[in-house]
Amino acid sequence: MIEQEQADVVVIGSGMGGLAAARTIAQFGGHRVLVLEQHYTLGGMTHEFTRAGRYSFGTGLHYLSADAGPFLDYLTDGRIQLQPLPDDYDMLHFPDFDFAVPAGADRLRERLLEHFPGEADAIDAFTRTTRRAMTGLAAHHVLAAMPAPVRRLGLPIVERLFPSTYRSSAEQLARSFRDPRLRAVLAARWGLYGTAPSSSAFGFHAAVPLTFFREGTAHPVGGPAEVGRIILQSLAGYAVTARPRQRVDRIVTDRGRVTGVDVTDTATGRRYRVDTGTVVSAAGTRNTYALIGRGHELAGLPAESSAVMLFLGMTRSPARFGVHGENHWFMPGLDDEHGIVYVSFPSLNNPAARAHTVEVLELLDPAVVDRWTGTSPQQRPDDYRAFKQRITDRLLDRLEQQWPGFRAAVGHAELATPLTFETYQHSVRGSFYGLAATPQRLRSSRAGSRTRIRGLHVAGQDAWGSGVVGALAGGLMAATAVLTPRQAGTMWRTVRSTPVPDRRVPWEGYLRVAAVEDLTADVRRIRFAPLRPGPLPFTVVAGQYLTLDLPVAVEPVARSYSICSGPDERGFVEIAVKREPDGLGSGFLHTEIAVGQALRVNGPHGTFTWTPGDAAETLLLIGGGIGVTPLMSVLAAAAHAGCPGRIVLLASHRTAAGAVFAAELAALETRLPGLHVRTVITSRDGRIGPGDLRPYAGAGTRVHLCGPAPMMQDLIGHLTDLGVPRDAVHTEAFVSGRSRQTRRERAHAIALAATAPVFMIGRAGDGPGFPCRPGQTVLEAAADAGVPLPQSCGEGSCGTCRIRVVAGECETDGRGLFSTAEQADGWTLACQTLPTGDLVIGLSPLPSPAAGSVPGPGRTRAGTPPRN
């Protein structure tokens, strides 16, 4: 018997249209939404793939309007960052002349007049015609989302009022201009929506190349996948579940109404039915009608074109050939609609790109690969591979002709054909712009966001128009049909408003490497600034840190580094990084980072913080090696505030050559009369001990301690013995990049050695116990059992999840956040504790020093991934 599930709304496809519909329906309708994606990656045409460990290629998003508008702003919560392309963003190459398309309507008009002075009046008239055609297309799309009676009444009126919307692009251009070269220039970029001028409805041409890109273009910083990543991340706050590798086999209907969908999980083979009264399909109109057994009803619509795409990884920057990031269109002739080649240079427009890439697209009839239809993607015959090689060579020859030497700079070449798009996108015959943008589509009662099946709606490109933003708009139209009028009104008001950043969550986005400075042989300071001139998008508290996503492998690795610049610096932020042996993150930052490169940054984070307070207390700062870094931010904050109190810095370094920030500390001593700096060289002076601490430690001392675990473990005990209150000792632990892997290895060994299927974790005088599978940490087991334990980072650097093991055996790592006595008394971290048998743990706080016991751990920094 087939398994049954339920959902308020099922969305088929996780492209921009599907995700837009899912979020808005959940956000404004309060519905539980299930998104089913047939591919193994969510995000539709925003997803990327990587080759040779360094070349990242987009699959469908090449460039956006410079102002992508409110739709994308809304769906990304205003977080997407765009890098403008050059002002002359599209270069058109005809056999006898070139034309550069500039950003800005006024500049385009001026350039057209410069090249075609005899068509001045016609150019101005054409601008007005374009606006009317665009208005007619928008009116059509809005009416197409209305109930059937409104559509039947309104759509014929739209065609009468806006006839240019429905004319072919070729006809409208012939009506507007005498000069064939001017007609060719204005028709040239029809590849942006995939239907040739002789067949396309002028409304689509007016909307996409002539309006949407009029003010210039931009590329998403971080690549196309950044768009999908942000949108998918935003869904976490709503009742949306997204599942990859789910093939929808059928949309189930009963008496003209949707009742569910039949699904196969292609990863496991599981088959199930989701009962629902509402389905939004972002899988394309043809796929949607096939799923209800009515594919024949679309037979009258013209077939869609497809394309080949050549993905090139470069050993040298394309800038070496005089390219500045603009797109290039190679036109075979003024009226020839076959063999148009489009070339983009995404790495020149993405400051976060690790390696240079080029993407080449040629539109063609998918019939060129019909002979291989039905063959397995892994077992295509030799003649198919030969076909791909011929096209690859032809396209490379064209690039070599334009830029001599280009071919020799190609390090990787890979061609996708219509069969590739059909396999990975599940598109009909490899089409990726949706239904052909023709007058027949506009006049069809089957094209649009509504269908004749109650509860079934179409989202994506077929509901509005081509491209990422067009698909997104189609998702909003589908949501409009699902929501009540009141809910839809709230949705559209929200979409049109400017997103307000949520100040409760740390900032996340890209910053530019503004400067790199070597402080010692193995420590360097890196300055980050906003991508565009202006203040930082966040504020810093002294002692905080940033988390960086570093592109050292196919997937970025997260590493955290303390901020060493002062919180009063508003135009930049600095970190200091020590090169660790075999450290992935520090190795990248020491050998590969370059000024101008952008890195994704998250933060600031942490509670290892200081703000000006009681001038009577002694502020004792203790740093071991690179642990001095966050203390420099504290000192800068104190200097900026003019703190008059006593401040002592004990900086411990293995050798004199390894001492960092000497010049900065000398300058700070002149600004802070109460500052005393002492540098301890352990190879000469030994480690910091009680004698070094005694002159400064006491009941009125506040301590900030950062360094290696053994050093911190000893110093916590010394400070306690000298009468420093435990809650006045603030600690920050170093975490190795190997720590998570090491814990996994230990967990695996425990799981293999276990003779019991489960261990029990008892709670000493504090409620019922809970089970723990061998190989789980105490924190993981508590989370699975719904037992609330204090927690933050899960990596063993913050100390929030401290527990006391009262009885039983375990493997654990205290990370230097406890003194020797505290560890002997059983104190450890739940996130680092792997039971090897039944345990009893205590959660109550430790007695205070006044009661004659060992004090508990102090307040520490939260959320720290590995540093190295």
Side-chain angles (χ1 to χ4, degrees):
M1 182 176 178
I2 193 168
E3 296 182 41
Q4 301 283 132
E5 295 186 17
Q6 287 188 331
D8 296 337
V9 179
V10 170
V11 174
I12 305 173
S14 68
M16 290 302 97
L19 295 181
R23 171 166 168 177
T24 48
I25 291 170
Q27 180 178 354
F28 300 102
H31 297 294
R32 294 176 298 117
V33 181
L34 174 62
V35 179
L36 302 172
E37 168 58 52
Q38 59 88 29
H39 193 28
Y40 56 77
T41 301
L42 299 170
M45 296 298 285
T46 65
H47 85 265
E48 300 178 31
F49 66 94
T50 303
R51 293 292 184 264
R54 58 189 291 108
Y55 299 122
S56 292
F57 300 104
T59 56
L61 194 166
H62 295 98
Y63 60 142
L64 295 161
S65 170
D67 178 8
F71 293 174
L72 191 60
D73 240 14
Y74 156 72
L75 204 56
T76 62
D77 296 320
R79 291 171 49 200
I80 193 65
Q81 295 169 277
L82 301 177
Q83 175 75 11
L85 270 67
D87 284 344
D88 288 348
Y89 63 90
D90 273 340
M91 291 293 301
L92 311 180
H93 302 283
F94 294 92
D96 300 321
F97 73 100
D98 294 340
F99 184 88
V101 180
D106 292 340
R107 291 187 59 207
L108 176 59
R109 178 180 180 275
E110 291 171 4
R111 189 159 296 173
L112 290 171
L113 292 175
E114 176 187 337
H115 283 73
F116 309 101
E119 297 267 22
D121 292 341
I123 289 170
D124 289 337
F126 182 73
T127 300
R128 294 191 292 271
T129 300
T130 297
R131 284 197 295 265
R132 284 192 59 78
M134 173 65 180
T135 301
L137 185 72
H140 168 275
H141 289 335
V142 171
L143 282 170
M146 299 292 181
V150 178
R151 295 200 306 272
R152 286 194 295 269
L153 177 65
L155 289 175
I157 297 174
V158 171
E159 184 167 2
R160 287 198 299 272
L161 291 175
F162 303 98
S164 61
T165 300
Y166 293 77
R167 292 189 191 113
S168 76
S169 299
E171 178 187 354
Q172 185 57 58
L173 288 164
R175 283 171 174 249
S176 299
F177 303 111
R178 299 185 304 273
D179 192 322
R181 298 199 311 164
L182 177 54
R183 292 199 297 266
V185 165
L186 292 173
R189 294 174 292 157
W190 59 268
L192 291 167
Y193 59 94
T195 306
S198 60
S199 303
S200 65
F202 181 66
F204 289 103
H205 194 76
V208 182
L210 299 182
T211 299
F212 186 59
F213 292 107
R214 179 175 290 169
E215 298 306 318
T217 57
H219 190 277
V221 177
E226 189 71 7
V227 179
R229 188 191 69 82
I230 292 174
I231 294 172
L232 287 165
Q233 194 178 71
S234 75
L235 295 183
Y238 305 99
V240 178
T241 301
R243 297 177 186 167
R245 299 181 187 269
Q246 307 297 306
R247 185 185 69 232
V248 175
D249 300 312
R250 183 168 68 114
I251 298 174
V252 185
T253 63
D254 182 28
R255 288 175 288 188
R257 182 170 187 86
V258 164
T259 60
V261 292
D262 287 341
V263 188
T264 299
D265 184 330
T266 58
T268 64
R270 170 182 173 247
R271 299 181 62 200
Y272 60 99
R273 173 171 292 180
V274 182
D275 295 325
T276 183
T278 304
V279 171
V280 174
S281 175
T285 297
R286 292 193 187 276
N287 281 329
T288 302
Y289 273 72
L291 289 171
I292 59 174
R294 297 188 178 189
H296 60 279
E297 295 183 10
L298 303 178
L301 290 175
E304 297 79 46
S305 64
S306 186
V308 292
M309 282 189 68
L310 180 61
F311 302 97
L312 301 175
M314 307 297 290
T315 60
R316 286 181 287 168
S317 170
R320 297 278 294 273
F321 303 100
V323 177
H324 304 289
E326 70 281 0
N327 306 299
H328 289 257
W329 297 81
F330 296 101
M331 319 300 296
L334 296 184
D335 299 314
D336 194 342
E337 296 179 340
H338 304 285
I340 293 175
V341 175
Y342 163 78
V343 186
S344 65
F345 301 87
S347 61
L348 292 180
N349 300 308
N350 176 16
R354 186 182 181 192
H356 283 292
T357 58
V358 178
E359 296 170 5
V360 186
L361 181 146
E362 182 180 20
L363 290 163
L364 46 67
D365 188 333
V368 299
V369 295
D370 277 354
R371 76 187 83 167
W372 300 292
T373 299
T375 59
S376 168
Q378 290 76 33
Q379 297 177 330
R380 306 277 193 216
D382 290 342
D383 56 347
Y384 175 73
R385 289 191 288 272
F387 163 79
K388 291 177 66 173
Q389 189 60 53
R390 287 195 301 273
I391 293 182
T392 298
D393 290 339
R394 175 169 57 78
L395 293 174
L396 287 174
D397 288 344
R398 183 65 186 89
L399 301 183
E400 180 72 17
Q401 178 185 344
Q402 181 69 25
W403 300 293
F406 188 93
R407 190 166 191 152
V410 175
H412 174 84
E414 183 172 344
L415 188 80
T417 75
L419 292 180
T420 313
F421 301 126
E422 187 173 348
T423 297
Y424 290 101
Q425 301 169 12
H426 199 56
S427 56
V428 177
R429 303 195 73 195
S431 65
F432 53 81
Y433 281 133
L435 293 173
T438 62
Q440 294 96 315
R441 170 180 168 179
L442 294 178
R443 296 184 179 113
S444 172
S445 62
R446 301 296 190 272
S449 60
R450 282 190 185 264
T451 71
R452 296 188 176 188
I453 303 297
R454 286 177 295 167
L456 176 59
H457 310 277
V458 173
Q461 295 182 115
D462 288 349
W464 189 272
S466 63
V468 166
V469 176
L472 200 162
L476 298 179
M477 296 309 298
T480 300
V482 173
L483 298 171
T484 68
R486 182 186 295 273
Q487 292 167 346
T490 302
M491 178 194 82
W492 283 108
R493 286 192 297 273
T494 304
V495 167
R496 288 194 295 265
S497 63
T498 302
V500 178
D502 187 349
R503 301 295 183 186
R504 296 170 299 177
V505 299
W507 182 83
E508 184 176 15
Y510 284 86
L511 295 178
R512 174 178 55 87
V513 178
V516 177
E517 178 188 4
D518 290 328
L519 300 180
T520 69
D522 61 357
V523 176
R524 62 173 19 185
R525 177 164 48 197
I526 303 171
R527 175 176 292 185
F528 293 99
L531 296 179
R532 299 183 187 180
L536 289 168
F538 51 77
T539 57
V540 176
V541 179
Q544 289 187 303
Y545 67 95
L546 295 175
T547 298
L548 278 54
D549 282 352
L550 303 177
V552 300
V554 174
E555 292 292 330
V557 297
R559 295 292 185 266
S560 293
Y561 300 99
S562 296
I563 296 168
C564 58
S565 54
D568 57 298
E569 297 287 358
R570 296 299 303 126
F572 63 86
V573 63
E574 293 178 330
I575 62 173
V577 180
K578 181 181 180 181
R579 177 73 184 269
E580 300 289 347
D582 302 320
L584 284 176
S586 63
F588 173 83
L589 293 173
H590 273 260
T591 61
E592 295 193 43
I593 197 74
V595 172
Q597 185 174 356
L599 291 176
R600 188 162 63 220
V601 173
N602 185 294
H605 301 280
T607 57
F608 184 68
T609 54
W610 178 87
T611 54
D614 185 359
E617 70 178 4
T618 295
L619 178 60
L620 175 57
L621 309 176
I622 309 173
I626 198 63
V628 174
T629 300
L631 307 181
M632 296 301 297
S633 182
V634 171
L635 290 173
H640 181 72
C643 291
R646 185 190 193 195
I647 303 176
V648 178
L649 172 65
L650 299 180
S652 172
H653 301 282
R654 189 169 300 170
T655 65
V660 291
F661 302 116
E664 290 83 352
L665 288 171
L668 284 165
E669 283 186 297
T670 66
R671 298 175 60 194
L672 283 167
L675 173 62
H676 171 64
V677 176
R678 181 185 169 196
T679 301
V680 177
I681 307 301
T682 58
S683 60
R684 180 192 66 206
D685 307 323
R687 293 167 64 174
I688 297 174
D692 302 295
L693 302 173
R694 187 169 289 108
Y696 321 112
T701 303
R702 175 188 175 107
V703 179
H704 282 250
L705 170 60
C706 180
M711 167 191 169
M712 294 175 62
Q713 181 177 314
D714 289 346
L715 291 180
I716 290 171
H718 297 331
L719 291 166
T720 302
D721 292 342
L722 292 170
V724 177
R726 190 57 175 86
D727 60 3
V729 179
H730 307 269
T731 53
E732 178 178 63
F734 289 175
V735 178
S736 165
R738 283 278 306 162
S739 61
R740 181 181 294 182
Q741 182 64 29
T742 301
R743 188 173 72 240
R744 287 175 178 166
E745 292 168 354
R746 289 189 290 117
H748 182 63
I750 290 171
L752 290 177
T755 56
V758 68
F759 304 137
M760 287 304 299
I761 311 297
R763 300 169 65 187
D766 194 21
F770 53 91
C772 175
R773 297 192 311 274
Q776 275 191 309
T777 66
V778 170
L779 186 63
E780 291 167 342
D784 286 351
V787 175
L789 286 184
Q791 61 174 298
S792 182
C793 72
E795 288 295 332
S797 62
C798 72
T800 304
C801 64
R802 61 181 183 267
I803 59 173
R804 182 171 176 242
V805 176
V806 177
E809 298 295 328
C810 62
E811 293 188 17
T812 190
D813 179 357
R815 295 295 166 87
L817 295 176
F818 304 98
S819 68
T820 302
E822 289 169 346
Q823 288 181 321
D825 203 32
W827 285 93
T828 185
L829 300 174
C831 70
Q832 301 300 308
T833 300
L834 293 160
T836 55
D838 294 345
L839 286 186
V840 177
I841 63 172
L843 305 179
S844 57
L846 289 167
S848 67
S853 314
V854 179
R859 190 156 53 92
T860 60
R861 150 172 148 172
T864 317
R867 287 172 172 263
N868 70 348

